[in-house]
Amino acid sequence: EAGVVQSPRYKIIEKKQPVAFWCNPISGHNTLYWYLQNLGQGPELLIRYENEEAVDDSQLPKDRFSAERLKGVDSTLKIQPAELGDSAVYLCASSPRRGTNTGELFFGEGSRLTVL
Amino acid sequence: GDSVTQMEGPVTLSEEAFLTINCTYTATGYPSLFWYVQYPGEGLQLLLKATKADDKGSNKGFEATYRKETTSFHLEKGSVQVSDSAVYFCALSESGNTPLVFGKGTRLSVIA
């Protein structure tokens, strides 16, 4: 079974440019998460989806970040415009349907963003 | 809110040494507790978990016991190998419906 797939693995852009990250969760996983991981820190939740509905986006900086999960499968996280402080690893994770899981998340390899 | 505190690294050990990485948590309810590991160049993966007090999670020679009285979930391994070099994250989830809250991670380096 394929795991969580993210792309691109690495992205280098200049500040003020836009950037987008894509995530394909494990088949059948209804819940999808985007986490931010700064260097030397643990992952921090940005947004959580149940199917196509964003149920927790309180930590998403909505002035420049946006996310979508059309059809409740793939998801895209966008930053526009990017700032120097956005340099980090953006992690996507998925988990099975609510009520059937024990809290375990399955993570992709992450997308490392460098803003110059 | 919920939080996880784990010992700061880096931790450097010789092969076959005993490992302990401390983790304590703060939660309003009775969370499930997890240890995730991130090997170089790879994504986070679950190492072990415990869902209620006094449970012991174990995998690949690693163990951790859910201690409600001390709100701790310390990771241990009796004899580390070079291949155990990675970053280890302690995490909690209040329920299956809430996202994981992670500690800052502890980098382990094992030298031959």
Side-chain angles (χ1 to χ4, degrees):
Chain A
E1 180 182 284
V4 176
V5 179
Q6 291 188 245
S7 68
R9 287 292 310 276
Y10 304 93
K11 187 75 176 178
I12 300 174
I13 61 172
E14 293 188 347
K15 63 181 180 180
K16 300 185 180 180
Q17 294 300 306
V19 63
F21 305 110
W22 174 82
C23 173
N24 179 247
I26 292 174
S27 178
H29 281 194
N30 296 69
T31 309
L32 184 145
Y33 309 76
W34 284 102
Y35 278 84
L36 166 68
Q37 185 177 17
N38 286 306
L39 186 65
Q41 302 293 316
E44 300 174 11
L45 181 71
L46 287 173
I47 189 168
R48 174 168 66 104
Y49 282 93
E50 295 289 345
N51 297 305
E52 65 274 9
E53 180 184 2
V55 296
D56 184 355
D57 63 355
S58 57
Q59 302 303 311
L60 189 73
K62 299 182 182 63
D63 57 336
R64 296 184 300 108
F65 286 66
S66 65
E68 61 182 12
R69 191 184 183 197
L70 300 176
K71 301 181 181 178
V73 181
D74 294 1
S75 177
T76 303
L77 177 69
K78 298 178 181 177
I79 308 174
Q80 182 172 11
E83 297 179 351
L84 295 177
D86 297 331
S87 295
V89 177
Y90 292 84
L91 298 171
C92 181
S94 68
S95 64
R97 181 170 55 88
R98 259 187 345 170
T100 63
N101 71 73
T102 59
E104 179 182 357
L105 269 58
F106 298 81
F107 284 85
E109 293 179 320
S111 294
R112 181 178 297 276
L113 173 66
T114 301
V115 182
L116 302 176
Chain B
D2 296 346
S3 66
V4 174
T5 302
Q6 58 183 107
M7 63 185 286
E8 292 190 17
V11 174
T12 302
L13 296 174
S14 297
E15 209 166 22
E16 300 183 2
F18 184 85
L19 169 71
T20 299
I21 300 178
N22 291 337
C23 171
T24 57
Y25 68 90
T26 301
T28 53
Y30 301 97
S32 294
L33 301 174
F34 305 80
W35 277 101
Y36 276 76
V37 59
Q38 189 172 33
Y39 297 105
E42 299 184 15
L44 282 156
Q45 55 187 275
L46 181 68
L47 179 60
L48 54 83
K49 65 183 180 185
T51 57
K52 61 182 187 295
D54 300 325
D55 271 2
K56 177 185 286 187
S58 61
N59 185 27
K60 299 182 181 180
F62 290 88
E63 293 182 341
T65 300
Y66 189 144
R67 301 290 188 195
K68 181 182 172 186
E69 63 276 13
T70 55
T71 61
S72 65
F73 192 55
H74 304 322
L75 182 68
E76 296 181 337
K77 186 174 185 181
S79 176
V80 294
Q81 305 300 312
V82 172
S83 57
D84 294 326
S85 297
V87 182
Y88 293 82
F89 293 91
C90 186
L92 69 81
S93 174
E94 285 274 16
S95 73
N97 297 334
T98 59
L100 286 173
V101 174
F102 287 88
K104 292 185 176 182
T106 302
R107 182 176 298 278
L108 170 66
S109 295
V110 180
I111 54 178

